[in-house]
Amino acid sequence: MPVTRRQFLAGAGATAGVAVAASATVLADDVGEEPSPSLLVDKIVRTTCSPNCTGSCGQLAFVRDGKIVKIQQAADYPDPVYSPRGCMKGLSYHLQIYGPDRITTPLIRTGERGSGEFREATWEEALDHVASEMKRIGETYGYDSIHVFGQVPGSGYIQKGANYRASAVLGMSHGTSFDYNGDLPMGMPITFGVQNAEHEAKDWANSRFLLVVGANPLETRIPDAHFLFDAAANGARIVVVDPVFSATASKADTWIRLRPGTDAAFALSVANVILREELHDEDFLRTYTDAPLLVNESTGKRLREADLRPGGSPERFVVWDPGTEAPVTVGIDRLGMPRGVEPALVGSYEVSLASGATVVARPGWDHVRAEIETWTPEAASELTGVDPDVIERLAIAYASTEPAAILMGGGSNHWYHGDLTGRAYALLAVMTGNVGRSGGGFSVYVGQYRVRVAAAPWNFPDDIHGPIVSTIYWVTGPTDTMHPSVPYPKDGFKALFLTFSNFLLQSPNINQVYERLSEMELVVDVDHQMTETARWADVVLPAATWYEKWDLTATPLHPFLQLQQPAIEPVGESRPELWIWAELVRRIDPEQHATYFDGWDEERAIEAILAAGDVEGGPTQGVTLEQLKAGPVRLNVPDPDVPFLAQVQKLAPFPPISPPSPIEATQVFLPTRRIELYKEEDRFLELGEQVVTFKDPHDDGVHDPAEYPLTLLSPHSKWRIHSTYSNNAWLEEIHGGRPQVLLHPGDAAARGIADGDPIEVFNSRGSVKAWAHVHDAAGPGTATLPEGWWSRYFLEGKGVNELTSSAVNPIHEVWYVPNMWAPSTGWKDCRCEVRRA
Amino acid sequence: MSAVATAGRTAEGRSWAAAWYGLLVGGMVVGLACFVYQWINGLAVTGLSNTISWGMYIITFMFLVGISAGGLIVAAGAELVGSERFASLQRLAVLLSGTAILAAAISILPDLGRPQMVWRMLRQPHWTSPLIWDVIIIGVYLTIALIDLYILTRPNPKPGALRTMAFFALPAAVLVHSITAWIFGLLVARPFWNTALMAPMFVSSALVSGLGLLIVTAHIVDRTTEWEPDRDVFDDLGRLMVWFIAVDGFLLFAEILTTYASRVPDHLKQLNVLLIGRLAPVFWAEVAIGVVVPFAICASRLRERRGWVVAAGALAMLGVFAKRINIVMTSMFMPLVGLAPGIPGGRAGQEFAPDPIYIPTWVEAGILLGLACFIGLFVTLGVRYLVVPERRSTG
Amino acid sequence: MPEPTKVSPVEALPEASREYGAIGEVSDDPRWGMAVDTERCIGCWSCAVICKSENDVPLGMWWNRILTRGEELDTPETGEFGRLDMSWVPLACQHCDDPPCMKVCPTSATFVDTEHGYLVEVNQDDCIGCRYCMAACPYGVRVFNWGEPEYPVEGFDLGMVEPRPIGSVEKCTMCIHRLEEEQVPSCVWSCPAQARIFGDLNDPDGRLVRTIEDRGATQLLEEKGTKPKVYYLEERRRRSL
Ligand SMILES: Nc1nc2c(c(=O)[nH]1)N[C@H]1C(S)=C(S)[C@@H](COP(=O)(O)OP(=O)(O)OC[C@H]3O[C@@H](n4cnc5c(=O)[nH]c(N)nc54)[C@H](O)[C@@H]3O)O[C@H]1N2
Ligand SMILES: Nc1nc2c(c(=O)[nH]1)N[C@H]1C(S)=C(S)[C@@H](COP(=O)(O)OP(=O)(O)OC[C@H]3O[C@@H](n4cnc5c(=O)[nH]c(N)nc54)[C@H](O)[C@@H]3O)O[C@H]1N2
Ligand code: SF4
Ligand code: SF4
Ligand code: SF4
Ligand code: SF4
Ligand code: SF4
Ligand SMILES: [Mo]
């Protein structure tokens, strides 16, 4: 018989002697409650952990005497599989709030930049100073010379949105984050025409085969990693492809060690076997993709109806109907093929044009097929180091298990040619029909980038769009191949305004970044930790943390909209970004302030966003602020949230919309409105990338592999979110606070390096000194130094980004839609050498 | 050192004596100060950590309990077998035993995190704890030593009294060592301690070290005072030492052989630490200076030279001390659940310690110095007021 | 302004959260136990960190920690044919049914709480700090307040229980203060991998006992006869391609 609460507590009385239980207080007695054996609290506030993480985990802040004394997961998801979420970092955020590196007042630089010498200032003084400088710079060079950078929006639509709003109304250049972070998986817009599209995490459990590539969910998706085990318990097999024996590899059925940067060759060889075994889904290819569309052999461009007959549409494409042995045209408003037509996927056909000429044309798939056929497992094995036999078995298992999912991460994407890698894995999903179905898919899990609400009215009020310039151009300046629509300021950039980012640590090719920095007449950083970036700023403004302010958040990993709600008063003088911007705009342009900031607080902004999305089929249909205050609310999305359902089930054309861009902006990526395996834009043709292929890593052409034989990998660390939590006292106790470079024993021995030795990692761009960790877990020819360590933990140097590259891939410049088709950084595309320090 | 010699006799003697007392009292003050310092700041001022949670204090405790054996066992043993051989040593022997056991009891205090709470052991003794039994037996043992001393220092000791006492003293002595041994030996968590041989080994080592102490002190007292032991007594003590060391050495060998032969991985790991690992220097020192050399001396004709016997005694004591270090440290170095990252260090700034080291601090040294001085003072006073007068009166 | 009325951290929980943490039905003589699923454990230390937070465990100390079955922290072991292997063993007090720590404690400061699920608890008031229990515990889960406890924040106490005095021993209490309000231990609540199951070992129909029976479980150092109340569920068998 189960005991009642009363019986149970009756027994409890006897423990008075237990010190830990002896904390019952009189107060509780006063209110006639049973004494609590726990220390009492004033209140518990539900909020959301919001570093640049993607976890977006609901947390409870336990407040006693105005201080947060415990943070614990809210575990209140309406879908219990998502509870509790959260990780050790989120649970220890109060150490950041009250820690020694917390910035509590505005600071104005007194010494050299980077000297760390500041004086404390009042808000009044700091804001006046910043505003007058911005005004001066704005009036001298144009406001677009001020580059405002804030990180990915998902972790705070309101406060980060305030960056956008202020930039828009003042005309400042807003930077980009998703592409700058190297997270924008360019294979997605190229293939599917979307910014990105991933299955919600719980859908992993519905899969029967999980191919995890370049992702380490055990460390970088801690709240969701368990869905892998749920899948395994349901009978799924897990295969992990990683050059390093990652934590995730330790849980795999099979771990495939691959040479870094060779994913595309690997995936193509898998496709090779699938094709050879005829395990591909031709029907899917015909229905949803550009595979049957004919490509003019002589121009490399697709044939259009307009080519076939005068007055034909340039937006209708041509397939070959083997039944009638004639071309048939297909439109772009619906997927599928005309009734009764089963178009050719291979072969070469003579088509007569309106001009009277006859051209040879081949279906797009025939081009893809030809490429795939060159990538036999043996051929790929040379590059990837993967045993051909393993590729054979993997390909057959993947293609014959349904549904099968590919989960890709930064490790595969953070390459100059990450787009080719993405296209190659996407090809596997597409050719096996694993698109738009639960348990399948090709999902790239990267940053918390996605705008899942109707944020436009907040970010761009009255449809005012300020210039948005990919931040990589702030670093490199305009490239020769830059898309003409990039609004690069005519006199270049003169000021840098940073929020939510440890920009001067987390940027690529950091020494180049510092050179750029020296050209800035004003550098402002808004943060609540005294980071490397704050140390280099002219003015540091103390930000409130997500336990001290309101915001609205969402992530691609789960479909719940959540609030940040203040649990405590901001520590010291710290303030939310919206307040900071309002004060700055008021000083710079009182009129704009009156129109766009005055009277706007966070709650009003949230309501505006909710209202804008509260339309039939809108993301926040029926969602209210009151609901959100009580807990997470599911966005208006399918359950499970699987992308491309409308396309696959209802034959709606690709691409679905990628908020916040209007559909027109992204539709251009896919002139065929189908999944595109063949690209016809000139630059693809020039670079020989019209169909997916493999190319050597870019840095191999910068650093001679003979001189710099090691690939420097900088994955994300379990112990930090990028650099956030670097300085967390509890976590430091666990990991020891020593940056280690993982080296293979063979590579280490060849350089006389032993485990624990201080070593220098260097290339032509920079160098950093840390400690060697020599172990078989490392891939031969790799050096792994996780990103994010604060500089002060190194023996010498700023960090791993002294070595990384800021190279821009011209393919990423074929179009320009910020954060959607823009240069994606290749962090892992980096050669180096190491020596004993 | 030779201060006791002529304590109070000559002017020179007086100043030596003053210096000696000054030294001892000074040392005690230092020890006390260190103890107070430690009490205020906690055991954080020692080199101990959560992994090596017992160190020099416990080692010293074990050692002191051990050396307390020699005296009473020699005295009582002599009494029981009716041997007159060691009669001349009896007072000194009992004095040493009493002092050692008192010091042992005291040495526990600095090891406690909350010495102010020690009375709770009496208020609510937990009878399954060997520590409780050890406290009791140490009390009993100390009482016996005091009674013995009282009997021995009566002007006309009752002939049968000592003998009667011996019936209590011997079992008490065996028990005090056995129970101290069981503090360690009964722990399933510590394979290296968890051996049936623990108690016998403790007794045998106690005999060796106790005897060693007796030899060395007797020699010093003989040299520095007018007290004189019987002429052949050192030869006899040396002879006895041969047996004690033989037994002790044999048990050690038996223990190591059994551990080795058992091939139980835990045990083997610990054995490796001892034989070839980090403790190897101490272990082989233990074997060399604690067993081989003193045995060789005492078993050979060298024994006939007093200097050699004294040296053997001193070495044997040192050897047993090394053995105490080894016993405690081997197990502490090797937690049963040894996976990384190990046991948390225990203090701010201390990381997990997969591979802990223990270096005693000056505080520990200070407290132990104080304790040593306390023993010195106690023995000096005892010799001066209880032992030397005996000679004077009888001789 | 009057002080806000303070409430128990359980009372103050939002309802959905309180429901999530509810222990649920148990037998009338519960024997609290736990199972840790090494298949699901991802070595994230969330359970260790929340334990530190919940119980205001000072710097340098952990009542709960995650051991790596490998060569070092988060580093695999190289086996035969270069095969790499790694998994994690979360370790806190096993609340042994035959607890060696309790047996050796001279003052009964360490005792078996027969009123509260037979947990092994320490009453710091009675602790003399002899650390005999630390030597006796085969699992190395007890920690000692070597000095004045130090904390990562200044001026206020973290957590939900009183800090322990200098010179005393402490360890996992199984969050007895939470159990009394029918909430699962904090580490169970906070494991993001849902790798921890808390329950009543005396309830044959409870999820804990059923899972232990279905999945098969081991106890740590079973051969030492300590009879731990914490069970470890084994990893799944891997299938090659
Ligand atoms: N704990 C933690 N979690 C995080 C973050 C964090 O900083 N810390 N950051 C968040 C953000 S913003 C992001 S973008 C994600 C990123 O997280 P992930 O997508 O997991 O990316 P990485 O950690 O960079 O790399 C993952 C794995 O890719 C492997 N890898 C490296 N090069 C290659 C390669 O060429 N091919 C293949 N197949 N594998 C390779 C690495 O060895 C590594 O194990 O994590 C998010 N989650
Ligand atoms: N070498 C290498 N470099 C990389 C990567 C890599 O894989 N390798 N990964 C890249 C990727 S994927 C990403 S996403 C980026 C991430 O780069 P960043 O987002 O710049 O990295 P964080 O270190 O998380 O910096 C976030 C900063 O915001 C601050 N912050 C937190 N909350 C608030 C707030 O409410 N207001 C304000 N104003 N500030 C706040 C934090 O204190 C912290 O300093 O790093 C990139 N850098
Ligand atoms: S750091 Fe990321 S995973 Fe951890 S609790 Fe916060 S949002 Fe969740
Ligand atoms: S695990 Fe250790 S501390 Fe816990 S009950 Fe068992 S012996 Fe005692
Ligand atoms: S340290 Fe405290 S709890 Fe442990 S045995 Fe000694 S008195 Fe008991
Ligand atoms: S039960 Fe409570 S005290 Fe024990 S490890 Fe878990 S959180 Fe810590
Ligand atoms: S919280 Fe769960 S998954 Fe993480 S270490 Fe603890 S038991 Fe393992
Ligand atoms: Mo990212």
Side-chain angles (χ1 to χ4, degrees), chain B residues 42-44 48-50 53-54 111 113-114 117 120 124 126 128-130 132 183 188-190 337 340 342 346-348 352, chain C residues 60 62 65 67-68 102-107 124-132 134-136 138 143-144 146 166-167:
Chain B
L43 287 159
L48 295 168
S49 65
N50 283 330
S53 52
W54 274 349
D111 192 54
R114 310 205 318 150
M117 291 295 159
R120 301 246 166 157
Q124 55 206 57
H126 188 220
T128 60
S129 174
I132 290 291
I183 289 185
V188 290
R190 306 282 170 178
V337 182
R347 296 172 233 169
F352 282 87
Chain C
W62 297 80
R65 62 201 147 101
L67 304 176
T68 304
M102 178 277 285
K103 284 192 262 183
V104 300
C105 177
T107 64
Q124 273 81 16
D125 283 350
D126 287 338
C127 175
I128 61 172
C130 64
R131 307 185 302 295
Y132 196 2
M134 293 176 77
V143 288
F144 187 68
W146 294 100
I166 183 171

Side-chain angles (χ1 to χ4, degrees), chain A residues 52 54 151-152 178 181-183 414 446-448 716 722 787:
Chain A
N52 187 356
T54 72
Q151 265 291 349
V152 286
F178 193 39
N181 292 341
D183 286 345
H414 291 163
V446 273
Q448 198 168 340
H716 296 209
H722 313 292
E787 55 112 318

Side-chain angles (χ1 to χ4, degrees), chain A residues 221-536:
Chain A
R221 308 292 151 181
I222 287 173
D224 299 299
H226 68 90
F227 291 120
L228 296 177
F229 313 129
D230 295 339
N234 292 339
R237 227 182 270 260
I238 301 171
V239 177
V240 170
V241 182
D242 198 309
V244 177
F245 185 85
S246 64
T248 309
S250 76
K251 295 287 185 182
D253 289 287
T254 305
W255 164 52
I256 296 177
R257 169 173 271 164
L258 152 115
R259 231 168 256 148
T262 64
D263 286 79
F266 167 76
L268 281 163
S269 68
V270 175
N272 180 285
V273 178
I274 294 174
L275 195 62
R276 196 192 66 207
E277 300 294 319
E278 297 187 356
L279 293 169
H280 60 298
D281 183 345
E282 296 200 341
D283 185 50
F284 188 92
L285 291 172
R286 288 194 181 94
T287 311
Y288 302 105
T289 80
D290 67 342
L293 305 190
L294 293 178
V295 177
N296 182 339
E297 196 72 358
S298 53
T299 60
K301 306 273 179 182
R302 291 193 183 87
L303 288 177
R304 263 91 171 159
E305 193 184 49
D307 298 326
L308 299 192
R309 57 172 173 276
S313 163
E315 290 192 335
R316 287 185 71 83
F317 295 85
V318 183
V319 300
W320 187 261
D321 179 6
T324 59
E325 299 217 1
V328 174
T329 63
V330 297
I332 58 169
D333 46 357
R334 196 163 176 277
L335 297 172
M337 282 295 135
R339 192 176 294 274
V341 177
E342 195 177 270
L345 288 177
V346 295
S348 114
Y349 305 95
E350 289 192 356
V351 182
S352 353
L353 303 185
S355 61
T358 301
V359 293
V360 176
R362 288 195 284 144
W365 180 251
D366 202 49
H367 292 257
V368 181
R369 175 201 54 76
E371 180 68 25
I372 291 175
E373 278 172 3
T374 63
W375 292 101
T376 61
E378 290 72 21
S381 174
E382 300 267 302
L383 288 163
T384 60
V386 181
D387 183 349
D389 187 46
V390 171
I391 295 179
E392 300 263 349
R393 281 182 286 147
L394 168 71
I396 291 167
Y398 169 76
S400 52
T401 313
E402 283 185 274
I406 299 176
L407 318 184
M408 185 171 112
S412 295
N413 192 54
H414 291 163
W415 291 80
Y416 183 90
H417 293 301
D419 53 343
L420 290 174
T421 292
R423 290 173 73 187
Y425 284 121
L427 170 64
L428 297 181
V430 169
M431 73 191 287
T432 55
N434 272 302
V435 173
R437 63 189 292 193
S438 170
F442 166 55
S443 301
V444 188
Y445 296 100
V446 273
Q448 198 168 340
Y449 65 94
R450 209 185 318 164
V451 180
R452 304 197 73 170
V453 292
W458 174 242
N459 292 2
F460 310 113
D462 295 339
D463 234 7
I464 310 172
H465 288 263
I468 297 186
V469 183
S470 272
T471 298
I472 197 71
Y473 296 125
W474 178 90
V475 179
T476 60
T479 56
D480 298 339
T481 41
M482 189 170 83
H483 196 272
S485 70
V486 175
Y488 193 85
K490 62 179 191 323
D491 294 332
F493 292 107
K494 303 294 177 194
L496 185 61
F497 194 108
L498 302 166
T499 63
F500 295 96
S501 172
N502 197 349
F503 189 84
L504 297 180
L505 186 72
Q506 293 301 109
S507 290
N509 196 355
I510 204 78
N511 290 318
Q512 190 185 14
V513 167
Y514 275 89
E515 264 170 47
R516 272 300 146 134
L517 195 75
S518 64
E519 297 163 14
M520 296 300 116
E521 295 179 13
L522 174 68
V523 179
V524 180
D525 184 32
V526 188
D527 203 315
H528 51 72
Q529 298 287 304
M530 198 62 204
T531 63
E532 195 69 4
T533 305
R535 268 171 32 95
W536 279 84

Side-chain angles (χ1 to χ4, degrees), chain B residues 188-189, chain C residues 91-103 110 112 119-122 133-134 136-142 170-172 226-229:
Chain B
V188 290
Chain C
L91 183 72
C93 175
Q94 306 288 300
H95 291 277
C96 308
D97 268 346
D98 197 353
C101 58
M102 178 277 285
K103 284 192 262 183
T110 293
V112 174
L119 298 175
V120 178
E121 300 292 347
V122 183
C133 50
M134 293 176 77
C137 169
Y139 306 96
V141 294
R142 290 173 162 259
E170 55 185 70
K171 67 162 190 71
C172 157
T226 52
K227 306 205 188 97
K229 285 198 275 290

Side-chain angles (χ1 to χ4, degrees), chain A residues 48-59 71 73 85-93 219-224 448 546-547 720-721 724-725, chain C residues 46 192:
Chain A
T48 310
C49 189
S50 302
N52 187 356
C53 171
T54 72
S56 199
C57 306
Q59 299 285 7
I71 292 172
Q73 298 103 316
R85 299 194 72 70
C87 76
M88 71 296 195
K89 301 179 287 298
L91 301 180
S92 55
Y93 205 76
E219 298 192 339
T220 59
R221 308 292 151 181
I222 287 173
D224 299 299
Q448 198 168 340
W546 61 80
Y547 287 95
R720 300 179 293 281
I721 296 299
T724 308
Y725 302 97
Chain C
S46 301

Side-chain angles (χ1 to χ4, degrees), chain A residues 73 91 222 229 718, chain C residues 36-37 40-48 50 64-66 88-90 187-188 190-196:
Chain A
Q73 298 103 316
L91 301 180
I222 287 173
F229 313 129
K718 156 178 175 176
Chain C
V36 183
D37 189 344
R40 295 179 77 87
C41 176
I42 59 174
C44 70
W45 289 71
S46 301
C47 52
I50 198 65
N64 186 10
R65 62 201 147 101
I66 316 307
W88 293 275
V89 187
C187 54
V188 175
S190 284
C191 171
Q194 303 158 353
R196 291 172 165 265

